[in-house]
Amino acid sequence: MASLINLLVIGSMALGWSEITLASPHNASPRPSYSSFTYTQVTSNVYATPLSTSVSFATPFAPDPTQATSLLPSGITYTTYSSDPSATATADGQYGQSAYVALWENYSFASTPPFTTTVSATPVATSELVLPPALYNSVPDTGLKLPSDFIWGISSSSWQIEGALQLEGRGPSVLDSIGNQLSTEAPDRSDANVANMHYFLYEQDIARLAAAGIPYYSFSLSWSRILPFGVAGSPVNTQGLDHYDDLINTCLRYGVIPIVTLLHVDMPTAVQADLDALPEHFLYYAKIAMTRFADRVPYWVTFNEPNIGVGTMLQKYDDLTQVLLAHADVYTWYKHTLNGTGQITVKFANNLAVPLDVQKNTHVAAAHRYQDILLGIMSNPLFLGTQYPDAALTTANLMTPLTDDQLKRINGTVDFWSFDPYTAQYASPPPQGTEACAANTSDPLWPTCVTLSNIQANGWLMGQASNAYAYLAPQYVRQQLGYIWNTFRPPGILIAEFGFNPFLEANRTLDAQRYDLERTLYYQGFLTETLKSIHEDGVRVIGALAWSLADNNEFGSYAEQYGLQTVNRTDGIFTRTYKRSLFDYIDFFRRHIT
Ligand SMILES: *[C@@H]1O[C@H](CO)[C@@H](O)[C@H](O)[C@H]1NC(C)=O
Ligand SMILES: *[C@@H]1O[C@H](CO)[C@@H](O)[C@H](O)[C@H]1NC(C)=O
Ligand SMILES: *[C@@H]1O[C@H](CO)[C@@H](O)[C@H](O)[C@H]1NC(C)=O
Ligand SMILES: *[C@@H]1O[C@H](CO)[C@@H](O)[C@H](O)[C@H]1NC(C)=O
Ligand SMILES: *[C@@H]1O[C@H](CO)[C@@H](O)[C@H](O)[C@H]1NC(C)=O
Ligand SMILES: *[C@@H]1O[C@H](CO)[C@@H](O)[C@H](O)[C@H]1NC(C)=O
């Protein structure tokens, strides 16, 4: 009974919510005895601590927008577009209202946004902020601490949460083919025309972060909201630009620090059709966004996960060269023309490949090959100033080597490492042989040419499985961070996304969805191993951002739930509900930041 008594006592103390410690087992023989039985209250109402003040930065990170806009090319048109499809009648030029409506002529979505104006935030009810029962299954505390300036919070992306795809002048993006009834590509998957209706509910979403006490929010801008036609020289949609200005100001007003991503997969369709000119189009877009917002944004991400973007926003691997150049040019312009003092990064996807059998050279080589092709292609030039990895250059039709000029342009244009290490996986050579695969672009394993699995050589799964690919496998977190730190030697590492989607979570009752113990264990295990990486392995980890703000459209599916909040998409008001993991996640940082 010792541990249960401990729980009872601590459960009734206001400050002890997260402090449960289990008494050490004793060896004395039990001595049964009777006493009078009484009930004890185990539950106590402890409340989240909200953010207390708005944020203002002593020194802006860039010149005031009124001044910065003088850096823009001359002759930019600022306009608005109507989503009324009947406004097609007249030929009004390349970028007129008719041309705007024509952008959408081949799209039809099954869902329709239920409202079309911004909803004001209402205070979050106290009843929503009561913490869940104290956690009995806590990951043991190491006593290690995170640095006081650790960046921690939650992340999202525009297309996955906004909805309102065709409203207020937004143009089509490459992701809008998902669920498009007029396309053969993916009509059976869920469109994002409603999603979480965040485009009109953002004030409430920010109010909810602040009420729970989350200090950083990482989100992305929709390029095609700001530039419906996407390309360099095309008009700015003022409604889109003003929207993000208000989103950033709303964050600051509530005390939440914004981290802004310029492109999270939803590239304008016209830009995808012209990828050789990506640097030109991206710089034009970035200048418009940065001259308007950069005074209030301390951290920028140019591209989200471009290293797995072939097939969605990119057409072929060689397009990654254009991504690197586009990123580099924006970095250089921000630092040396806008004189921005914030920090800029590009964020990669990587689930560490671990050799299935570390004793076998071929397995170690397979793991290295996978990492080289996933990360080396982008990080060799950016972080090391070196050419693409040999594994990439010797794989058929993969990468054309960078010229010396390109390498100079890219080298060092990044302030810290940022990536999304959800899980790990085992690598071994493919049965057909690495070389045969690398020479054959039709091989299903091309270009990595590595067999991946989550089953250990001895037959056990590496950890608790999720609904899709993530595993609860914190035992690999230190190697994941150590690989990056020691291979690319960045100044610091931001874990820009990490998360877990429990098996069939969407099929559970609301009460059961809220009690998401596995997600809590995922975050606690991951962060505990991160602490060891910092203190025992000497790795500089600067922050961690959970994926995701709320359950959302995971590229065609609402059933893949990574949210730290649920969203009710059928009650007409899109009620959000905090899950237990959100409070446990916050608690971890409250306990571990010095
Ligand atoms: C719509 O599809 C038609 C038929 O494929 C094509 O001719 C037209 O260019 C498309 N419109 C746009 C804006 O892409
Ligand atoms: C950026 O700094 C340079 C060099 O100090 C200066 O000439 C330029 O005017 C600055 N640009 C802006 C937009 O403040
Ligand atoms: C990359 O930048 C570093 C630091 O400025 C420099 O030492 C190195 O020579 C550069 N490499 C190339 C290939 O430009
Ligand atoms: C290339 O891979 C495809 C798909 O596995 C296979 O059908 C074909 O025979 C391979 N070609 C060669 C030359 O091995
Ligand atoms: C889970 O819910 C989805 C959507 O309602 C349904 O299609 C599916 O059959 C359910 N799966 C199970 C195993 O209940
Ligand atoms: C969503 O809201 C509807 C209408 O209020 C309700 O019937 C349903 O149970 C809710 N779903 C969940 C999962 O809470």
Side-chain angles (χ1 to χ4, degrees):
M1 282 295 274
S3 54
L4 180 54
I5 288 164
N6 215 344
L7 177 66
L8 297 179
V9 171
I10 286 175
S12 63
M13 285 171 22
L15 292 174
W17 180 72
S18 55
E19 300 296 333
I20 291 176
T21 47
L22 303 184
S24 54
H26 51 86
N27 296 321
S29 307
R31 277 179 285 132
S33 67
Y34 296 108
S35 63
S36 65
F37 175 80
T38 52
Y39 291 104
T40 309
Q41 186 69 47
V42 183
T43 314
S44 65
N45 290 337
V46 180
Y47 293 91
T49 310
L51 300 178
S52 52
T53 53
S54 60
V55 184
S56 63
F57 301 108
T59 314
F61 299 99
D64 189 80
T66 52
Q67 210 186 323
T69 44
S70 68
L71 299 172
L72 291 176
S74 58
I76 295 179
T77 304
Y78 290 80
T79 187
T80 56
Y81 292 103
S82 164
S83 29
D84 176 0
S86 67
T88 55
T90 51
D92 51 7
Q94 188 184 9
Y95 297 131
Q97 171 65 31
S98 304
Y100 169 73
V101 171
L103 284 177
W104 286 111
E105 69 188 355
N106 295 330
Y107 293 83
S108 169
F109 299 114
S111 65
T112 307
F115 46 88
T116 56
T117 53
T118 298
V119 179
S120 299
T122 51
V124 179
T126 309
S127 59
E128 287 200 63
L129 295 165
V130 65
L131 303 188
L135 194 64
Y136 194 82
N137 325 63
S138 212
V139 172
D141 197 347
T142 54
L144 303 171
K145 299 289 178 201
L146 291 165
S148 57
D149 58 355
F150 199 74
I151 299 163
W152 68 273
I154 212 159
S155 55
S156 73
S157 91
S158 47
W159 184 89
Q160 295 182 263
I161 60 173
E162 285 183 348
L165 296 181
Q166 297 174 304
L167 297 179
E168 300 205 347
R170 183 181 175 280
S173 85
V174 300
L175 287 178
D176 301 347
S177 62
I178 296 175
N180 175 15
Q181 310 286 297
L182 302 181
S183 138
T184 49
E185 252 183 75
D188 55 329
R189 289 192 286 155
S190 299
D191 67 57
N193 203 23
V194 168
N196 296 0
M197 288 306 288
H198 170 82
Y199 184 74
F200 294 122
L201 295 175
Y202 63 96
E203 291 188 11
Q204 192 67 28
D205 277 331
I206 305 305
R208 294 181 66 79
L209 290 177
I214 296 179
Y216 285 87
Y217 175 44
S218 169
F219 56 87
S220 72
L221 312 179
S222 158
W223 180 346
S224 66
R225 276 195 197 285
I226 293 174
L227 297 169
F229 295 86
V231 297
S234 63
V236 175
N237 169 37
T238 53
Q239 283 182 296
L241 199 61
D242 291 348
H243 169 80
Y244 292 113
D245 200 57
D246 197 49
L247 173 59
I248 290 166
N249 289 343
T250 302
C251 285
L252 298 175
R253 194 165 72 244
Y254 277 97
V256 176
I257 298 174
I259 299 172
V260 179
T261 296
L262 287 169
L263 180 60
H264 192 113
V265 196
D266 51 355
M267 177 183 274
T269 50
V271 174
Q272 188 189 47
D274 188 28
L275 286 170
D276 288 345
L278 179 64
E280 187 193 349
H281 299 314
F282 191 63
L283 183 60
Y284 176 75
Y285 160 54
K287 283 181 181 178
I288 286 162
M290 287 173 152
T291 52
R292 179 73 182 266
F293 309 136
D295 58 327
R296 289 152 287 156
V297 175
Y299 300 102
W300 288 93
V301 179
T302 54
F303 290 89
N304 165 76
E305 300 190 347
N307 60 322
I308 56 162
V310 179
T312 48
M313 53 176 200
L314 307 176
Q315 314 272 20
K316 57 188 191 304
Y317 275 84
D318 229 14
D319 294 333
L320 287 169
T321 299
Q322 299 307 325
V323 171
L324 283 165
L325 294 171
H327 162 85
D329 290 355
V330 166
Y331 180 94
T332 302
W333 179 85
Y334 173 86
K335 295 279 173 174
H336 302 300
T337 302
L338 183 64
N339 299 338
T341 57
Q343 296 194 29
I344 307 195
T345 187
V346 48
K347 140 184 195 286
F348 306 128
N350 185 224
N351 296 319
L352 181 71
V354 179
L356 179 62
D357 181 347
V358 289
Q359 307 299 328
K360 289 192 175 136
N361 290 340
T362 54
H363 290 212
V364 175
H368 277 307
R369 182 184 162 85
Y370 179 86
Q371 292 293 114
D372 276 348
I373 289 186
L374 260 283
L375 291 181
I377 287 178
M378 308 219 65
S379 331
N380 274 14
L382 272 172
F383 286 88
L384 303 175
T386 58
Q387 188 52 262
Y388 294 136
D390 288 344
L393 295 175
T394 56
T395 296
N397 290 345
L398 199 66
M399 305 302 295
T400 309
L402 292 166
T403 64
D404 288 348
D405 282 350
Q406 288 175 328
L407 196 50
K408 274 210 203 80
R409 199 163 135 196
I410 297 164
N411 179 25
T413 59
V414 64
D415 293 323
F416 58 93
W417 180 280
S418 154
F419 76 150
D420 305 339
Y422 280 77
T423 191
Q425 54 199 332
Y426 298 110
S428 56
Q432 67 275 40
T434 306
E435 276 179 31
C437 168
N440 183 358
T441 55
S442 309
D443 193 297
L445 290 179
W446 182 94
T448 57
C449 297
V450 166
T451 299
L452 297 170
S453 155
N454 296 92
I455 299 173
Q456 300 180 163
N458 65 12
W460 281 99
L461 213 50
M462 71 197 323
Q464 172 70 37
S466 64
N467 204 48
Y469 70 89
Y471 286 80
L472 221 166
Q475 66 268 32
Y476 291 107
V477 169
R478 285 169 74 178
Q479 291 187 57
Q480 171 84 76
L481 294 168
Y483 176 88
I484 302 306
W485 182 248
N486 295 301
T487 306
F488 300 109
R489 315 214 153 187
I493 298 175
L494 174 71
I495 297 161
E497 284 181 26
F498 64 134
F500 192 79
N501 52 336
F503 186 62
L504 291 183
E505 189 183 77
N507 293 58
R508 302 176 192 172
T509 64
L510 177 61
D511 284 328
Q513 290 191 41
R514 285 181 76 196
Y515 203 99
D516 56 339
L517 179 62
E518 281 177 7
R519 189 174 283 110
T520 278
L521 294 179
Y522 172 89
Y523 283 118
Q524 292 203 345
F526 199 115
L527 291 168
T528 298
E529 292 305 299
T530 301
L531 277 168
K532 293 179 194 165
S533 171
I534 294 171
H535 291 276
E536 291 169 31
D537 306 337
V539 178
R540 184 161 182 260
V541 183
I542 61 170
L545 303 166
W547 184 269
S548 183
L549 172 68
D551 297 330
N552 63 32
N553 187 322
E554 282 293 333
F555 306 109
S557 168
Y558 289 103
E560 296 300 336
Q561 296 193 163
Y562 288 87
L564 279 73
Q565 301 180 76
T566 64
V567 178
N568 189 323
R569 293 190 184 81
T570 60
D571 69 358
I573 53 171
F574 295 78
T575 303
R576 278 75 159 130
T577 305
Y578 297 119
K579 297 181 190 175
R580 117 148 264 149
S581 60
L582 179 126
F583 295 114
D584 292 330
Y585 180 69
I586 295 167
D587 179 65
F588 188 94
F589 294 105
R590 294 241 184 277
R591 281 188 290 131
H592 289 93
I593 290 183
T594 49

